[in-house]
Amino acid sequence: FEGAMEAAFAAGVKVETLPVSLTDSIDDIQWNNLKKLGAGDRILACSFWFAPVLLELHRRGCRIALSTAEVYWRNLYSEYTRHWLLLTTHNAQAAKEMTAHLLESGCKSIAVLDHYIDEPEEPIRRGVESAMAAESDIPIRYLRSGLQPLSELREYLRSEYAQAPFDGLILHGNLANWDYRKTPAANLGLPESVRLIRSYDCREHTY
């Protein structure tokens, strides 16, 4: 969003953000907020979560740009996306490099926390497994995060760590209520000895 604002300012173009769902559910779209959008309007979205909405805006003649990872969902909409500007974030390669960094740092047990980790062809998982291909003696654990508050996520990670400690953790995605006055480990209720890498596409949110 920050980059879009900078580009729009430079071009003298107005930018408006529109709430699509008050409940973060694709079954609860605020279509009234989208009534005014039509032919020639430029739409920027950042996930295939918006696909049903984008298909309708495409039908109206909107010009669409979509930023997304290499998720398999994009193949389902190829008939439409060939008419859009499709920008790809290379999450699989990023995850491979993050995993390699933890291995080079001496980690002997790595956990990966991602909300979408169980999806088919999930790019974070593919990248981690690519880096771990030659490391059969190092255990890897995949932990699925929900949309829970940070306090609940902290308890979840504490429980998982107590059951089977890990010394490296890859975090992917946004974490609500992150306290930047604390260390990453303190935010998550983990020992400071655990090496953490957090991936999120905003420079202020990167450790």
Side-chain angles (χ1 to χ4, degrees):
F1 181 75
E2 182 181 357
M5 292 297 292
E6 291 178 358
F9 179 80
V13 175
K14 176 184 176 182
V15 174
E16 182 177 0
T17 58
L18 296 174
V20 173
S21 173
L22 299 179
T23 59
D24 198 30
S25 171
I26 203 62
D27 296 319
D28 185 26
I29 300 300
Q30 307 300 304
W31 290 107
N32 284 337
N33 294 339
L34 309 175
K35 278 184 176 180
K36 60 184 176 182
L37 299 176
D41 287 331
R42 287 169 285 192
I43 310 297
L44 174 61
C46 59
S47 168
F48 263 104
W49 185 95
F50 296 99
V53 175
L54 296 178
L55 293 183
E56 165 58 16
L57 298 180
H58 171 83
R59 185 188 68 81
R60 297 183 195 177
C62 294
R63 300 167 61 189
I64 296 172
L66 175 63
S67 175
T68 178
E70 313 102 318
V71 292
Y72 88 109
W73 301 105
R74 60 193 295 160
N75 299 326
L76 304 180
Y77 298 97
S78 59
E79 177 183 349
Y80 303 96
T81 56
R82 60 192 177 92
H83 301 292
W84 304 349
L85 175 62
L86 200 60
L87 309 173
T88 302
T89 55
H90 297 284
N91 288 355
Q93 180 62 30
K96 182 177 180 179
E97 294 178 8
M98 288 188 289
T99 305
H101 177 76
L102 291 178
L103 293 172
E104 292 168 1
S105 299
C107 290
K108 301 301 182 184
S109 177
I110 297 174
V112 181
L113 181 70
D114 183 5
H115 181 61
Y116 304 102
I117 201 64
D118 295 327
E119 285 191 355
E121 302 180 28
E122 205 282 327
I124 295 297
R125 188 167 191 146
R126 285 194 289 112
V128 170
E129 291 176 350
S130 176
M132 297 291 290
E135 304 291 344
S136 58
D137 59 328
I138 295 181
I140 183 77
R141 296 175 61 199
Y142 296 103
L143 308 176
R144 187 180 184 279
S145 65
L147 299 176
Q148 69 268 52
L150 185 60
S151 58
E152 294 181 15
L153 178 61
R154 185 182 299 116
E155 290 305 313
Y156 170 63
L157 286 175
R158 281 175 175 167
S159 175
E160 291 293 330
Y161 183 86
Q163 294 178 46
F166 44 85
D167 55 7
L169 175 63
I170 294 173
L171 300 147
H172 178 66
N174 189 16
L175 296 176
N177 303 317
W178 192 266
D179 187 347
Y180 291 94
R181 297 168 297 180
K182 298 180 180 179
T183 65
N187 268 280
L188 298 172
L190 295 173
E192 294 294 334
S193 58
V194 176
R195 296 180 180 272
L196 304 172
I197 296 183
R198 182 181 176 197
S199 169
Y200 184 48
D201 55 354
C202 179
R203 60 174 175 260
E204 288 85 357
H205 294 174
T206 302
Y207 286 100

